[in-house]
């Protein structure tokens, strides 16, 4: 049986879609490549994370304790959080002063949103017996929220689209209980 040209195109399109789906990035790969997401948005960083890696590596404990202690230490060095984990919203918003108007507004809204979300999560944690690690998780929880908000709200002219970036922006791999 001979296929018409339009049938051949449809067959090629369907085959391409199936092949693309089979090679599409899964959430496990997104998590393994999460360090690459810093390149998704070229807008100025809301927080200075230059020394984040060294702060995390310099901590003791499991990977979660190292992360929470490292982020807390970094934000404390920048006077953005105190010993008890209280976030300094005004100091964080000072970091946005040199941004263009659109990004400044987005960044300040993200800060407000993430402070509220972090405070709510900390209140829930307190009701369940409080944080279990050696460091307050407030700064780390705030930073994770801010990272997601920065990607989801990145201005179109600052967005560097890729399969990884689009997957992160969709939030598909954020959901609790999702297999990573």
């Amino acid at each position: 049986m001979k296929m018409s040209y339009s049938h051949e195109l449809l067959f090629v399109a369907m085959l391409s879609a199936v092949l693309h789906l089979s090679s599409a990035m899964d959430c496990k790969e997104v998590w393994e490549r999460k360090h690459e997401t810093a390149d998704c948005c070229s807008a100025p960083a809301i927080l200075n994370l230059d020394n984040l890696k060294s702060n995390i590596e310099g901590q003791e404990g499991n990977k979660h304790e190292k992360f929470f202690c490292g982020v807390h230490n970094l934000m404390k060095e920048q006077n953005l959080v105190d010993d008890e984990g209280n976030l300094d919203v005004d100091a964080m918003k000072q970091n946005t002063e040199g941004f263009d108007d659109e990004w400044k507004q987005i960044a300040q809204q993200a800060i407000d949103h993430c402070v509220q979300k972090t405070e709510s999560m900390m209140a829930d944690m307190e009701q369940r017996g409080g944080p279990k690690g050696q460091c307050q998780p407030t700064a780390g929880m705030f930073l994770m929220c801010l990272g997601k908000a920065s990607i989801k709200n990145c201005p179109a002219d600052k967005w560097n689209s890729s399969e990884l970036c689009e997957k992160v922006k969709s939030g598909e791999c954020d959901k609790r209980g999702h297999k990573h």
Side-chain angles (χ1 to χ4, degrees):
M1 178 175 134
K2 184 169 173 36
M3 282 196 252
S4 70
Y5 180 70
S6 63
H7 282 98
E8 285 178 30
L9 285 177
L10 180 60
F11 176 73
V12 169
M14 287 173 45
L15 183 61
S16 295
V18 169
L19 289 174
H20 178 72
L21 285 177
S22 66
S23 69
M25 188 178 298
D26 64 8
C27 290
K28 183 177 188 290
E29 186 177 353
V30 169
W31 278 96
E32 289 168 354
R33 295 177 55 195
K34 66 182 178 255
H35 61 280
E36 295 174 39
T37 60
D39 298 329
C40 293
C41 185
S42 62
I46 299 171
L47 298 179
N48 178 352
L49 302 177
D50 290 346
N51 297 323
L52 180 60
K53 187 175 180 180
S54 62
N55 267 291
I56 291 171
E57 289 172 352
Q59 303 301 318
E60 298 292 325
N62 66 36
K63 68 180 181 178
H64 296 291
E65 290 171 332
K66 290 176 100 162
F67 174 77
F68 286 123
C69 291
V71 173
H72 182 90
N73 190 48
L74 177 72
M75 288 182 66
K76 188 174 171 198
E77 286 173 359
Q78 297 175 28
N79 298 312
L80 302 177
V81 67
D82 64 17
D83 287 334
E84 290 76 40
N86 299 307
L87 299 165
D88 188 333
V89 178
D90 293 334
M92 284 187 253
K93 287 185 176 180
Q94 282 294 129
N95 290 343
T96 68
E97 285 307 313
F99 295 178
D100 67 50
D101 288 341
E102 179 188 16
W103 183 236
K104 179 179 179 178
Q105 182 178 0
I106 290 169
Q108 291 190 355
Q109 288 171 350
I111 289 168
D112 289 336
H113 165 77
C114 290
V115 166
Q116 287 178 335
K117 185 172 180 168
T118 300
E119 287 174 351
S120 172
M121 291 184 336
M122 287 300 296
D124 289 347
M125 194 179 287
E126 290 296 332
Q127 284 185 328
R128 292 190 309 261
K132 304 289 187 249
Q134 58 190 11
C135 295
Q136 282 290 336
T138 315
M141 291 164 56
F142 174 80
L143 181 62
M144 289 187 288
C145 176
L146 194 64
K148 289 176 190 174
S150 296
I151 286 177
K152 289 182 196 260
N153 300 303
C154 184
D157 64 331
K158 306 277 191 242
W159 183 247
N160 302 315
S161 186
S162 70
E163 186 180 6
L164 174 66
C165 295
E166 295 302 329
K167 191 89 165 182
V168 171
K169 188 173 193 171
S170 76
E172 178 182 330
C173 297
D174 293 354
K175 296 170 184 59
R176 288 180 181 255
H178 201 299
K179 292 180 183 172
H180 295 295

